[in-house]
Amino acid sequence: DEEEEEGQDAAESSGGSEEKEEVPEQEGGEEASPAPGPPEEERWDLRHVYSAGEIRARAAACMGLDGKCDSVACSRYVSTLDEDYVWDTCVDCQETDYGGWPEDEYPVDHITDEHREVIAEMCSKVENPNMPNLPSVPPHPEAPGAAGLHVTAGGGGPPAAGG
């Protein structure tokens, strides 16, 4: 008994408490879930830049202009609220829907000159479209920041579309 009292005294003096937060009961004696926090704001993250080969093969059609855009998609964005909710987009619709290419976060570490030409030719209707701010050659593996890069542009096919 003395040890229990000493433990309680120590918890009280340190400001700690082992009391469980009370949760209101629902009908039938079940505890209700605590109120959820504010809803998370949806963002769209660029997750895939289609390779030159994927673009040539028309791997994904642009979903912009309410599905009426007839360009080939160069990019795939994914909702932060639902990983299965994807949006394939061409350069022009990407400008309208997302304000262009991201400033700094890409799922690739470089885009070759050939890849840029294919994007400009097949994924845009404007002359000299906005291109991603990426080097044309891969960074040296020992370059600062190179260790965390994920290369997917040359990879084997588009990400699986869910839903």
Side-chain angles (χ1 to χ4, degrees):
D1 284 336
E2 278 184 38
E3 287 180 17
E4 282 183 31
E5 286 178 19
E6 285 176 18
Q8 288 175 347
D9 290 342
E12 288 172 10
S13 66
S14 68
S17 173
E18 293 186 25
E19 288 183 32
K20 183 179 170 185
E21 184 178 319
E22 288 193 31
V23 178
E25 286 190 13
Q26 293 180 338
E27 284 185 39
E30 295 177 20
E31 289 185 356
S33 299
E40 182 182 342
E41 184 176 320
E42 183 173 41
R43 290 186 339 272
W44 291 86
D45 294 335
L46 176 61
R47 294 283 179 87
H48 185 73
V49 176
Y50 287 98
S51 69
E54 290 170 324
I55 293 169
R56 283 191 198 101
R58 299 183 170 272
C62 178
M63 298 167 76
L65 301 176
D66 294 326
K68 295 178 183 155
C69 181
D70 61 357
S71 291
V72 177
C74 62
S75 305
R76 171 167 281 184
Y77 285 79
V78 177
S79 168
T80 56
L81 297 181
D82 182 352
E83 292 280 322
D84 291 333
Y85 193 28
V86 300
W87 193 259
D88 292 319
T89 185
C90 69
V91 173
D92 303 339
C93 292
Q94 182 171 262
E95 284 288 326
T96 302
D97 296 339
Y98 302 103
W101 293 93
E103 296 269 335
D104 56 359
E105 292 188 31
Y106 291 93
V108 296
D109 64 358
H110 73 285
I111 291 185
T112 65
D113 290 337
E114 174 198 11
H115 194 174
R116 289 176 200 276
E117 290 171 15
V118 171
I119 290 172
E121 179 184 319
M122 296 186 69
C123 304
S124 179
K125 295 190 181 344
V126 300
E127 191 173 327
N128 297 319
N130 183 19
M131 287 289 160
N133 185 20
L134 288 168
S136 295
V137 295
H140 188 276
E142 295 176 16
L149 295 172
H150 303 286
V151 180
T152 60

